[in-house]
Amino acid sequence: MNVAIINGSPKLEKGNTALILNSFANGLKDSGCNINHINVVKHDINPCSGEFICCTKTPGKCFKQDDMETILPILADTDLWVISSPVYSDGVSAQTKVVLDRIVPLLSPLFRLVDGHCRHPWREPEKQEGKVVLVSSCGHWEMDNFDSMICHMKAFCRNAGKTYSGSLLRPHASVLKQNKNNRDYQDIFNIAYHSGHTFKENGSILQAHSNIVSRELITREEYMRTCNAYFE
């Protein structure tokens, strides 16, 4: 199985999201998956201008000459997209969003009715099938801080013709980072790895695995006191 990991964290390996992403990616790799890492901040990727030149003058090709020229073929030939981003303003990071916006050249400009909704099919329909997994972290304590991002990812999958296949979400992630060597928290890393290692077999992230990755680490009151003390 070919996997593309779109890492939209501005901090890459130093970020909180990497804690879960690395374990999941290692599990995928050890299960025999071929992985392409797309570390967005290391690439020259300009935002979509909405000119639709990729639909008219140069079908399937964006007029912007940047690193998306090499990234789009990778995404087109991949079975699983792992979209990894921290929660920024109730959604994905700007770095993540710019990649998602730039997949338009892969799609046909012609509408097709799918389940009662106008959709753009892929230019090469045989490459449309595939799955998307979301990996994210959040600086707030509550799980509902991921709701807007999940809603966006599911809508994106419907428009991109992909199957949303679950998520690994880590709220109050700074606690995990500060205690990553604590034995009490190793089950989180282990289950993230196991989710990757068994993804081909399961076909999705199991809810039981997601629940462990997202489990409460400290009380909300304690977390608020700790965070406030840091900034005061």
Side-chain angles (χ1 to χ4, degrees):
M1 184 170 69
N2 294 322
V3 179
I5 295 178
I6 304 170
N7 188 346
S9 171
K11 296 183 178 179
L12 294 179
E13 296 302 308
K14 296 180 180 179
N16 293 329
T17 312
L19 295 171
I20 303 302
L21 175 63
N22 290 344
S23 295
F24 181 63
N26 287 337
L28 288 169
K29 181 179 178 181
D30 290 347
S31 73
C33 294
N34 300 311
I35 299 179
N36 275 293
H37 291 271
I38 302 170
N39 295 316
V40 183
V41 295
K42 293 185 176 181
H43 289 280
D44 174 29
I45 304 176
N46 295 295
C48 178
S49 299
E51 302 290 344
F52 295 108
I53 290 175
C54 61
C55 299
T56 55
K57 294 182 180 179
T58 56
K61 181 176 176 57
C62 181
F63 75 94
K64 297 192 174 187
Q65 297 180 340
D66 58 18
D67 288 346
M68 284 304 293
E69 292 182 286
T70 58
I71 292 174
L72 281 176
I74 293 173
L75 296 179
D77 292 322
T78 297
D79 306 297
L80 170 64
W81 296 358
V82 179
I83 299 176
S84 179
S85 170
V87 175
Y88 279 11
S89 298
D90 299 296
V92 296
S93 68
Q95 291 82 359
T96 306
K97 184 64 162 56
V98 74
V99 174
L100 303 184
D101 288 344
R102 290 287 302 278
I103 73 159
V104 176
L106 298 177
L107 308 178
S108 167
L110 304 179
F111 278 125
R112 184 177 65 185
L113 195 62
V114 179
D115 296 329
H117 200 291
C118 294
R119 307 288 185 194
H120 292 289
W122 278 48
R123 290 182 179 276
E124 300 178 73
E126 69 278 6
K127 295 183 178 181
Q128 178 168 324
E129 295 296 325
K131 298 181 177 183
V132 170
V133 162
L134 173 65
V135 177
S136 183
S137 68
C138 180
H140 287 206
W141 190 87
E142 300 85 358
M143 277 296 293
D144 63 8
N145 289 285
F146 295 102
D147 287 355
S148 295
M149 180 187 285
I150 294 172
C151 183
H152 177 201
M153 287 298 101
K154 289 181 177 180
F156 170 79
C157 287
R158 289 191 292 270
N159 280 318
K162 300 294 182 181
T163 301
Y164 182 77
S165 301
S167 59
L168 295 174
L169 310 175
R170 182 58 259 169
H172 48 286
S174 60
V175 177
L176 185 63
K177 186 174 183 180
Q178 293 164 4
N179 298 276
K180 62 182 179 181
N181 295 320
N182 188 323
R183 291 184 179 181
D184 292 339
Y185 299 152
Q186 292 310 302
D187 61 321
I188 294 174
F189 300 114
N190 292 339
I191 206 67
Y193 173 90
H194 186 65
S195 293
H197 197 264
T198 60
F199 187 85
K200 285 195 295 184
E201 175 185 348
N202 294 328
S204 65
I205 301 293
L206 300 184
Q207 187 60 51
H209 294 174
S210 296
N211 292 343
I212 293 174
V213 170
S214 300
R215 71 176 178 85
E216 180 180 326
L217 302 181
I218 61 176
T219 66
R220 176 161 49 191
E221 291 72 20
E222 184 179 357
Y223 183 65
M224 290 175 64
R225 285 196 301 270
T226 301
C227 292
N228 290 347
Y230 177 83
F231 289 106
E232 286 176 345

